[in-house]
Amino acid sequence: MRIANHDNRAVLLTADDAGIDIHEASGGKFGPDIQTVYQNWSAFSAWASSASGSSLALDRANLGAPSPEPQQIFAIGLNYQAHQKEAGYKVTTELPPVFTKWRSSLTGPDTEVTLPHGGNVDWECELVVVIGEGGRNISAANAWKHVAGLTIGQ
């Protein structure tokens, strides 16, 4: 199952360039805002496994952030040895630093980002995990049940 935020509406993808409007197909049970899908992830997942509806063409220019209003954003730094070396840190197996990001750091896949003039900008491609259902003390065996999806961040 793949979902997207297309033109500020939750869409269940049926192809890279097509999908069904989740709000319309679910009779208003989910959506139209993609955040409502995450708020009721278990029920949505069950519904989506057999969902059907009218197909709509997707315009890549209208894709937004897959989770535009997250409650929290946590980032993990220096989490592999090559990155520790590149950054000039001593290689360690200690827990990596955890830090937060602002909601305003989220965008769609083709947004133009204006860089500061004369500044030093570092960039990295990151794996982003969108949590659909929270919890505590989740075992490794059950962890994927809580993940709504994966995407790429920079």
Side-chain angles (χ1 to χ4, degrees):
M1 165 183 53
R2 296 185 308 151
I3 58 176
N5 176 12
H6 184 260
D7 205 17
N8 295 314
R9 292 190 67 88
V11 174
L12 183 62
L13 298 176
T14 56
D16 287 343
D17 60 353
I20 59 174
D21 185 287
I22 291 170
H23 185 68
E24 290 178 12
S26 71
K29 185 173 182 178
F30 307 104
D33 183 341
I34 198 164
Q35 288 300 131
T36 65
V37 168
Y38 301 128
Q39 293 165 357
N40 200 358
W41 185 248
S42 294
F44 171 75
S45 296
W47 171 84
S49 66
S50 61
S52 62
S54 300
S55 184
L56 60 103
L58 300 181
D59 179 353
R60 184 176 168 91
N62 291 334
L63 289 174
S67 182
E69 297 286 333
Q71 291 179 9
Q72 301 170 336
I73 304 173
F74 291 101
I76 310 296
L78 304 171
N79 56 336
Y80 57 96
Q81 290 180 349
H83 191 201
Q84 294 171 5
K85 289 177 186 176
E86 174 197 26
Y89 288 93
K90 179 182 137 205
V91 174
T92 179
T93 57
E94 293 179 24
L95 293 175
V98 177
F99 54 97
T100 59
K101 303 288 277 181
W102 296 103
R103 284 183 184 176
S104 62
S105 67
L106 300 175
T107 187
D110 295 327
T111 301
E112 185 173 318
V113 177
T114 304
L115 301 176
H117 295 286
N120 182 14
V121 177
D122 187 24
W123 67 273
E124 300 170 325
C125 292
E126 307 286 356
L127 172 65
V128 177
V129 180
V130 179
I131 304 299
E133 184 174 321
R136 269 187 147 33
N137 302 318
I138 300 166
S139 69
N142 289 323
W144 282 105
K145 293 178 184 175
H146 295 265
V147 174
L150 305 173
T151 189
I152 298 170
Q154 189 279 310

